[in-house]
């Protein structure tokens, strides 16, 4: 398990995480759900080592982490195919087409990012993060702008990864198909109890 203990983060005097304590599964796909601005992205950044907490600690975090940010961060001067090979060692360049196929971008390797639709750009950014690989995948809104049918297929692919996946999403497919779903409110980020079973 990934253990988060008494984690606190503030920005400009506003407490975003306030002594947050919880355990996250270290296997399968875990979806973090909650309203925008409640602190989910801040938690992801702390887990990725990109944000230092004011207090508290994280234990059992796999490393390294492959991170997908809310912004695509594609390089406009690199083709679609090069966006993938840029994160791979030369010995793994042959994997390029595998990752493009996973993102349903076959035949787009020679295109430039600006020639892709918003959803295609998001899928390319996701493919790049997955190709990079690591001990855990931290994905912030991986399905933004992606149509529901593709969301379902991408979720199936994420569930086949050997490393754990922690993703933030408001999309139905992610919340319906994830192995685990944690719902939050905030700020500060507060874990909500699971819904009572029906019947």
């Amino acid at each position: 398990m990934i253990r988060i203990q008494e984690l606190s983060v503030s920005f400009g005097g506003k407490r975003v995480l306030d002594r947050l304590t919880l355990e996250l599964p270290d296997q399968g796909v875990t979806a973090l759900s909650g309203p925008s601005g409640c602190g989910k992205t801040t938690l992801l950044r702390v887990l990725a080592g990109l944000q230092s907490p004011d207090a508290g600690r994280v234990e059992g975090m796999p490393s390294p982490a492959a991170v997908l940010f809310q912004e695509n961060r594609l390089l406009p001067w690199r083709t679609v195919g090069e966006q993938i090979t840029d994160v791979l060692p030369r010995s793994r360049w042959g994997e390029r087409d595998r990752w493009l196929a996973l993102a349903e971008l076959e035949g787009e390797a020679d295109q430039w990012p600006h020639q892709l639709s918003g959803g295609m750009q998001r899928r390319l950014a996701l493919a790049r993060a997955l190709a990079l690989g690591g001990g855990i995948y931290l994905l912030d809104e991986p399905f933004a702008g992606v149509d529901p049918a593709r969301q379902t297929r991408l979720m199936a692919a994420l569930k086949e990864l050997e490393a754990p996946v922690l993703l933030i999403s408001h999309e139905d497919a992610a919340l319906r198909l994830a192995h685990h779903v944690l719902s939050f409110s905030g700020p500060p980020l507060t874990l909500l109890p699971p819904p009572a079973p029906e019947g």
Side-chain angles (χ1 to χ4, degrees), residues 91-109:
S91 61
R92 293 177 54 204
W93 279 6
E95 297 179 17
R96 183 199 72 174
D97 291 345
R98 168 196 171 193
W99 297 110
L100 291 179
L102 183 148
E104 301 187 13
L105 292 171
E106 304 97 322
E108 305 292 345

Side-chain angles (χ1 to χ4, degrees), residues 139-157:
L139 312 177
D140 198 345
E141 297 289 357
F143 306 131
V146 177
D147 63 88
R150 284 196 173 94
Q151 290 178 26
T152 298
R153 293 193 291 270
L154 288 171
M155 273 297 294

